[in-house]
Amino acid sequence: MAKAQAAAPAPATDDAALAEMNRLLFDAPIAELAESQGISIDEAVALRVEKSIEAAPLPIEVSVRPIEPQGSLRGFASLKIGGVVIDDFKVVDGKNGMFLSPPSKEAPGTTRGYRSTARVLDRGLQERLDALTRDAYAQAVEKLIARVEALRPAPIKEQMAQAAKEAEKHNASRTAPAREKEGHDDR
């Protein structure tokens, strides 16, 4: 495998060379890849798998459960990366905007009393997660607002006006009572 890693392409400055290397890695027969890199078929297969995994986009989803703000804490989130779900991320509104803070658990021997149970090591991935978190938080809050608006009763003036319209419509559809003979005394 060390030979396959050594045979990995160096950053190419020429677009044609890069295109040819991508063709060899992803489209060409394994034998052609092995021959061009001077490696065995097994090493070529390992190289193609490694590069395919690196090139594959990893689907990431963030779902947020907003809470009543508690200091800078705005909610909790679940992170789904491929087929793995990690719960209990914190949605924090910091001085530089909203971000996703890793889940943690109590650890009495530490200075803060807590330790992270998951960490994001790649800065680019953290920025992507923060952007997804902001979007998911905004959508969750919009859903909550829509639900509240749907359940909130109309103000009393609107209710009275609506009732008056319905009563007027109902009265208009009724037939007028028939008049009886004039000589009739209604006492």
Side-chain angles (χ1 to χ4, degrees):
M1 186 66 184
K3 193 175 187 183
Q5 288 175 345
T13 56
D14 185 26
D15 289 340
L18 182 59
E20 176 60 17
M21 193 59 190
N22 281 335
R23 185 193 71 76
L24 287 170
L25 282 171
F26 302 115
D27 299 326
I30 291 291
E32 187 180 344
L33 174 62
E35 184 180 325
S36 72
Q37 297 299 308
I39 56 178
S40 72
I41 296 290
D42 290 339
E43 291 171 326
V45 168
L47 179 60
R48 177 169 286 175
V49 168
E50 178 184 334
K51 294 302 178 182
S52 294
I53 289 172
E54 286 176 11
L58 192 58
I60 298 176
E61 296 176 28
V62 176
S63 60
V64 174
R65 296 171 308 282
I67 62 168
E68 187 71 31
Q70 299 174 3
S72 61
L73 183 66
R74 296 296 184 254
F76 294 95
S78 294
L79 178 62
K80 182 178 179 184
I81 302 177
V84 177
V85 176
I86 306 168
D87 292 322
D88 299 329
F89 276 85
K90 293 179 258 342
V91 178
V92 178
D93 193 8
K95 63 182 177 182
N96 295 327
M98 193 169 290
F99 65 95
L100 196 62
S101 176
S104 59
K105 70 178 204 173
E106 287 189 49
T110 62
T111 56
R112 291 186 0 231
Y114 290 89
R115 70 175 182 84
S116 296
T117 57
R119 290 181 298 283
V120 179
L121 301 177
D122 183 56
R123 183 70 189 149
L125 177 58
Q126 182 67 51
E127 289 171 0
R128 182 176 171 195
L129 292 175
D130 292 344
L132 289 169
T133 299
R134 286 187 293 273
D135 294 343
Y137 181 80
Q139 288 176 357
V141 168
E142 285 177 19
K143 283 181 183 177
L144 285 175
I145 290 171
R147 185 178 297 154
V148 166
E149 291 296 325
L151 296 175
R152 180 183 297 163
I156 193 70
K157 286 184 179 181
E158 289 179 25
Q159 291 179 27
M160 294 298 289
Q162 183 65 29
K165 286 180 185 176
E166 289 175 16
E168 188 177 304
K169 188 185 293 184
H170 178 68
N171 288 339
S173 67
R174 293 176 61 190
T175 58
R179 289 189 165 190
E180 293 188 22
K181 295 182 183 175
E182 299 268 339
H184 188 266
D185 190 7
D186 284 336
R187 286 189 253 168

